[in-house]
Amino acid sequence: MGLGAKGGRTLSTCKGTVWCLWKPVLLLCGLWTVEAQTAGETKSVYFWETGPWGRCMGSECGPGGSQSRAVWCAHVEGWTTLHTNCLQAERPANQQSCFRVCDWHKDLYDWKLGPWNQCFPVSYRTGGRGSVCTRGEEGIQTREVSCVLKADGTPADDAICEYFEPKPRLEQACLIPCPQDCVVSQFSPWTSCSKTCGLGLQNRFRSVLAPPMFGGSACPNLTEFQTCAPRPCEGRETVYSLRVGAWTGCNSPPVRTTRQARRRKAKDRKGSIKDPETRELIKNKRTRNRLNRQESNFWDIQLGYQARQVVCVHRNGSSVALSMCPHWTLPEVFQSCLMPKDCLVSEWGEWGPCSKNCVDPSLPKGNRLRTRQVQQFAVGGGAECPELEESESCDPQGDEAPPCAIYTWRTTEWGDCRVEPLLSQQDRRRSNQTGLCGGGLQSREVYCVQANAELLSYLSNIKNKTEGQSQSNQKPSVPPFLSITFEITASQPVDNQLCLGPVPNTTQLCHIPCPIECELSPWGAWGPCTFENCDDQVGKKGFKFRKRKITNYPTGGEGNCPHLVESMPCDVPGCYDWQLVQLEECIPDDDMECGPGTQIPQVRCVNSDGKELDKELCSDAIFPAPIPCDVPCPKDCALSPWTPWSSCSQTCSSKTAEGKQMRTRSILAYNAGEGGAPCPNTTVLQEVRNCNEQTCTVYHWQTGPWGPCMEDISVSATNTTMSTSSDSATTVKSSCVMGMQTRKVICVKVNVGQVPPKKCPDSPRPETVRSCVLPCRRDCIVTPFSEWTACPQSCDTGANAQRRKQSRFRVIIQLPANGGQECPAVLYEEKDCEAPMICPGYRWKTHKWRKCQLVPWTIRQDSAGAQEMCGPGLQTRAVSCRKLDGTVADVSQCLKFANSMPPINQPCQLPCKDDCQLTKWSKFSPCSSDCVGVRTRKRTLIGKSKKNDKCKNSQMYPLSETQYCPCDKYNAQPVGNWSDCILPEGRVESILGMRVQGDIKECGQGYRYQAMVCYDQNNRLVETSRCNSHGYIEEACIIPCPSDCKLSEWSNWSRCSKSCGSGVKVRSKWLREKPYNGGRPCPKLDHINQAQVYEVVPCVSDCSQYVWVAEPWSAWKVSSVDLKENCGVGVQTRKVRCMLNTVDGPTDAVEDYLCDPEDMPLGARESRLPCPEDCVLSDWSPWTPCTLPCTGRGDRERTAYAIRLPAGGKDCPNSMQTEPCLLNRNCFHYSYNITDWSTCQLSANAVCGYGFKTRMLDCVRSDGKSVDLKFCEELRLEKKWQMNSSCMVECPVNCQLSDWSSWSECSQTCGLEGKMWRRRTVVQAPQGDGRPCSPQMEQWKPCPVRPCYRWQYSPWSECRVEEVVCGEGLRFRNLTCFVSDGSREGESSLVEEELCSGLEQAVDGDKDIVLEETCTLPCPGDCYLMEWSDWSPCQSVCVKAERLDFGPVQVRSRAVVAQEPENLAQCPEQEWQTRACTDGDCFEYMWMSNFQSGSSRVVWCERSDGTNVTGGCPPTSPPGLGGSCDQLCDKPKSFCSEDGLCMCEEGYTQILSAEGLLEQCAEIPVLEIPTAGDKKADVKTSRAIDPTLSTTAQPGWTGRAWYLQPFGPDGKLKTWVYGVAAGVLVLLIFIVSIIYLACKKPKKPQRRQNNNRLKPLTLAYDGDADM
């Protein structure tokens, strides 16, 4: 199968190549294929093929399923054949058992992901590898992925997990950085010659800057040697040196003899004869001596001895006899030492109680401690004591642990709603804002309480009772949780820091309902004279009434409206009367056709309100009599009917004014000369009558305001109300009783004043008493006082301890109202804490040094120059722990609280006979004056030293020391910047404990601060008190107050935009002053600085409020008069005026423009005056309405009737006129038109909040003219619009900030740059035109400057080996106190150690103080390692200046120092060390070069920070070293080759000029080749290999980016080369075809017979972008 498959694939590859299209290649390919088949005839060309496995089928979930697949026989060429052609024995199975997966298996199985393996280069798979690494190498990481059972990790079939989730990827891309060679610094200068004469060596050194990684080259030699010979040596050269070896360990001394014990017993026997007093003194002395001796349990001190060797060595390193070094004094070879003892501690004690003593799983666990005691301290370099204290997390054990306290936020009740005035109201209403209403802001206080305090208290009581009952062997009679009774009260506040949840809001928007003003309709017309009560008419006077209605009910009911009824007394009252409806036609008397007659009136019975009633009720009223009339005969004068009576000129009558009504008639035709009734005089054509004859006396009832609600004892209803505070379910019982209100009601005569009540009618009299509900009394509710704040638990170390204060507070959660109990005046209490106790300080007490002990004489007696009773030794002393008062304390207290333990041993010297002995130095003498005098201290020789000449040498043994007196001169100077301007802190304003969060402006005079620093005469920082300064310069400053935007008052309302129907009217504001310093902002301004603050409200113009009133027609003026007939064509005129229409009729004349000009009656008419005996018609009636809709097919008509019939034989003209109904001429359609919404309208005193907006309905004619609404209402058109809608005017909410926090701790404990901060937060963000938040949310001020003291090591001394040339010795350093200003640039200065006495002895955090250590002083000729270099800068592993996932490192190294040329073979190996670091830099390395004189060239490798290095630069050849190039190679990425040519670096190609010179180096395009099976999203950079692997263990490199190479790793052309070649061939054929067609000679066109001229084509652009 495998061979067949290979053959098939080979054949298909040959057929699939492009070059197989060519005949020669086809022939060769065919021959090769035949050869392949011939060679393979011996093997089968058929093989089995299988398809994928199908889905697992089965009846149950889990194992036991079955799946199948297709199996067929195929030929190597790919076609399918019969099964018999394949070997049946090799046929694969087509069915297998499987695991049937169900949905619930998802919870049982999952993918198990293994760790990523080491990153291997892609070149390991492809077989190729690049020669040079430039940017790193692409690699592949693999991992194991398997499907497992979650429960125990048992492996399972991958198909189970693949059923739910695709198998995770097994490979991912990674990056292997290029090998990084070791990078070293430049060589130091040559050292001086190791010898002053003869042949020596000079050394120069360099250090390691970057270690080798990823298989890079190892570090080169860090040392270079060269011989030197300063001068020939005179005489014999010294070749021997005395070398001292290292001290051995401390050895035990030999066993002491029993001589001292016997001596002690003899002393005891002698002391027994002394008296008791002496015995007591001896006992006390022995007790003191026992304390001084090291016989305490904490120390087990045993003295031993150490030894060392002293040898004489040759300069070649070989040892020789000591006699070869006769010129050296031999040092001590023995010294006393402490036998090493390890620290011993006791077993761990019992665990202490858990710090968490309650049960709450949500809270973190507590801690518990256990300790152990020191039984024996470490001495002599033994193992130090381990930790003496151990802690672990814990939870309370047992069922008796109570639940933990739960803390929650509680709030007080909301305060009063405060309304912020609008910008336009700042000046007018700032002093009195009580009338403001609408939207506002209210606040409340938030405090923290213990939510389950009552439960915990109850459980504690139950526990105490249970314990008491258990002691008396009694059981509780009631189960615990069945007897819980809570006495609910306001919870006790606690510290706010105990509440961890989100803080509830302390402010919220609110709304004060605006009072609704009473709105009334206009007065109606006066009614008829009627009785006050028609049911009781006897002896009652009459009244006329007029009324008005409430159109908008006010807040508080209609009692807050003015009077609604006015009355006027009259003389003839009546409740019912006949009302004339119309007059019937005039009927002549005696059945004549013309002449005098009568008109019968048509009437109806109505009451005083005009309502029609039964006619029987009007039986007492006078029925209207028939009215005489006249039907003119043909020769009579014809008169028009009387006009209606005009409106009464007065509503009432007085002595100076009487009401009059008038009606008129006119002459329609004159009579005949003879026999006809003549026309009357003009005076008869007008009639006048009196009206409204009652006197002008108007009365009405006037009411006063309702009085306060008083308790009505007779009717009292006691109601129990529950007043529940926001703090808890506190129930307060208070009585709310029914009350009574009264008001004053008087009768008022208009324009006069109060009159007796009998003048006013009783029926409309308002009530004077009404019931009311007294508001419930509400007491103040206040929380209990909080617990007293804790006094400091820590003790004070000094005697000047300050007494601190403790406080407690309580919170008002409900303010009193309606006479309730007032709140207490004291909400905050403070008291002094008890005087803090002085800390029980501990100190180490050192006892007297014991006698100096020497190395036993038996050990050192053989050493040269040793004496038995003198020499160096060791002395010890006891150390104990004491309190500050001197009493003995436990050692553990000093270990915890005292300074480091004093040393218990020190070297000592027992003077020999010739040694000099001196006293200790005295104290320095006092200074006479600062900065001028000197002070001295002295010591003296003692004993035989006074006579020893050697001891009198003042150079070796000075007896006095002198030093200048300290100079205490200090100068102060400011340092740092000025702080923010800080206002002085004032008291928090409070009203009954409720915090006021209103319009608080933080401005005015404040102070800013600058730190002061104090220096001494040596420019060292000292405490500021030395300069008599409190640490600050204080300067007054001003915080400007914010000024709000100021607008003008509202302008006057504009005229209504429409004279008929609904319109709008507008008013606006102007800008008066812009805001500054954070004041409330202005609205948006237009181009003329007018604030865009407009108010638009709807207005309605009644279409009938102005009417045309026409006077009667004048007499005819006949133009062509027939004097006999008095008829003909004539003209009549009349006066037409626009008048204000009221309920009583037109009253005052107004401007004509207020009336509709379209409805204006004619002022003149021309017609023919009928002649005698002609027919006389009346005026035309109004046109009948057109039938809607206006289709143009209907007509309208008007009629007239004959007033005078014509004489015989004559006809009346047509008494009916018709005209067609045409749309928008005399026939109109009507529709409603809705206006736009008005602006949001608020109450008069409201500034914001909820309001309403309105819109109006207009009735619009089809020609667009607005007409009266009655036209649309008569058509009963649908009104589907909502005319009113609620709206919201955003309230001006000022920014509310929290109080300033307390000043923070200083950012630095010492130094110049310390700052203290305080911050605040936004409690309520601004809204609308409220004042914005201040940008200053934090303030800072400098801290007082304090010197920064620290312990610091002095440099190590040189290695000291006593008086010997070389060998093992000691070097020392001191622990000194330094002061600095805390800045990085500041220098440190050495100061007295007393200034650091309060600091723990530690250097850079290291408490292990090492002041001496062993060292080796090389002998002449030794080759040795020098000291460690400084740590190099932190360096990361980078590619293209991007850090990879490798930890940055630092490196240091030790170079070799050689002194003798013949000893070079004995030199040790150089060393280097690395350590991890943070924030490593990315360095790049590049070759640098310059020209020297004489065409020579210097080339070096430079790091990107400018450091010259060796190693790190690209491994390509550096710029030419052999000679200079003819052309200066200064182009980027170019270098001079060894052949003297300018070349480009790897990855760049040369671009040459016409002269063959290099112009630039262009980068070669890079083809990014992804790894096989990788998705773009899955590629990531990961750590590839361990940098510490050796070169042989690290994989190879091929690079992430490969250049376009035509040949593959196998040397064959790549597939893309064939594609490119085919593309080029097709492109060439295309170009040749185009050239052929372009060069081809065109055919001549054939001329058409009809040679029509072609019209030019014009393109018109229509704006379409597609053109």
Side-chain angles (χ1 to χ4, degrees), residues 1614-1629:
K1614 297 183 179 178
T1615 306
W1616 64 267
V1617 177
Y1618 298 113
V1620 171
V1624 171
L1625 178 62
V1626 173
L1627 181 62
L1628 289 174
I1629 295 174

Side-chain angles (χ1 to χ4, degrees), residues 835-853:
M837 63 177 181
I838 303 299
C839 289
Y842 299 94
R843 62 181 177 85
W844 293 105
K845 176 177 174 56
T846 58
H847 299 272
K848 184 179 178 181
W849 287 106
R850 298 186 68 187
K851 182 181 178 181
C852 187
Q853 299 189 33

Side-chain angles (χ1 to χ4, degrees), residues 1216-1428:
M1216 179 183 294
Q1217 288 184 349
T1218 61
E1219 67 177 7
C1221 289
L1222 300 177
L1223 181 63
N1224 294 340
R1225 180 178 297 177
N1226 53 17
C1227 182
F1228 299 95
H1229 294 158
Y1230 298 92
S1231 61
Y1232 283 117
N1233 180 43
I1234 192 76
T1235 63
D1236 293 332
W1237 288 108
S1238 68
T1239 54
C1240 199
Q1241 300 176 60
L1242 304 172
S1243 177
N1245 288 332
V1247 296
C1248 62
Y1250 294 102
F1252 65 94
K1253 56 183 179 180
T1254 60
R1255 53 183 178 180
M1256 298 291 183
L1257 273 180
D1258 274 344
C1259 187
V1260 180
R1261 216 164 58 181
S1262 54
D1263 61 349
K1265 180 182 178 182
S1266 295
V1267 294
D1268 200 285
L1269 282 176
K1270 66 180 182 180
F1271 291 97
C1272 292
E1273 291 172 351
E1274 290 172 355
L1275 297 176
R1276 298 181 179 179
L1277 299 178
E1278 181 184 2
K1279 298 180 182 179
K1280 58 183 178 180
W1281 300 277
Q1282 181 183 356
M1283 308 309 296
N1284 297 317
S1285 176
S1286 61
C1287 57
M1288 181 75 178
V1289 175
E1290 188 177 22
C1291 292
V1293 178
N1294 287 344
C1295 175
Q1296 299 286 332
L1297 300 177
S1298 66
D1299 295 332
W1300 285 109
S1301 65
S1302 301
W1303 286 104
S1304 67
E1305 295 292 334
C1306 193
S1307 60
Q1308 296 183 0
T1309 56
C1310 61
L1312 308 179
E1313 301 175 354
K1315 291 183 180 180
M1316 293 185 292
W1317 297 85
R1318 66 175 185 175
R1319 294 174 174 82
R1320 57 183 176 180
T1321 56
V1322 176
V1323 176
Q1324 174 66 54
Q1327 295 181 10
D1329 59 352
R1331 183 171 295 108
C1333 292
S1334 169
Q1336 190 179 40
M1337 301 304 292
E1338 60 182 15
Q1339 287 182 338
W1340 72 274
K1341 66 178 181 181
C1343 304
V1345 176
R1346 294 186 178 89
C1348 292
Y1349 298 109
R1350 73 176 188 277
W1351 291 109
Q1352 185 173 329
Y1353 287 126
S1354 64
W1356 285 107
S1357 65
E1358 293 183 356
C1359 193
R1360 299 174 184 173
V1361 195
E1362 301 172 8
E1363 298 176 354
V1364 187
V1365 175
C1366 61
E1368 299 294 329
L1370 292 175
R1371 64 175 185 172
F1372 305 90
R1373 62 182 177 183
N1374 295 324
L1375 190 63
T1376 51
C1377 183
F1378 279 80
V1379 67
S1380 67
D1381 59 8
S1383 62
R1384 295 183 178 179
E1385 297 80 11
E1387 297 181 356
S1388 298
S1389 301
L1390 179 65
V1391 294
E1392 296 80 5
E1393 291 188 3
E1394 290 79 7
L1395 297 175
C1396 290
S1397 59
L1399 300 178
E1400 183 181 17
Q1401 286 195 350
V1403 178
D1404 297 331
D1406 185 9
K1407 300 179 183 179
D1408 187 13
I1409 302 300
V1410 178
L1411 299 180
E1412 69 175 50
E1413 67 179 7
T1414 59
C1415 57
T1416 302
L1417 187 65
C1419 297
D1422 285 353
C1423 187
Y1424 61 95
L1425 289 174
M1426 63 185 303
E1427 296 296 325
W1428 287 105

Side-chain angles (χ1 to χ4, degrees), residues 202-218:
Q202 283 181 294
N203 301 268
R204 64 175 183 175
F205 317 104
R206 53 187 175 182
S207 59
V208 178
L209 299 179
M213 292 190 294
F214 313 111
S217 301

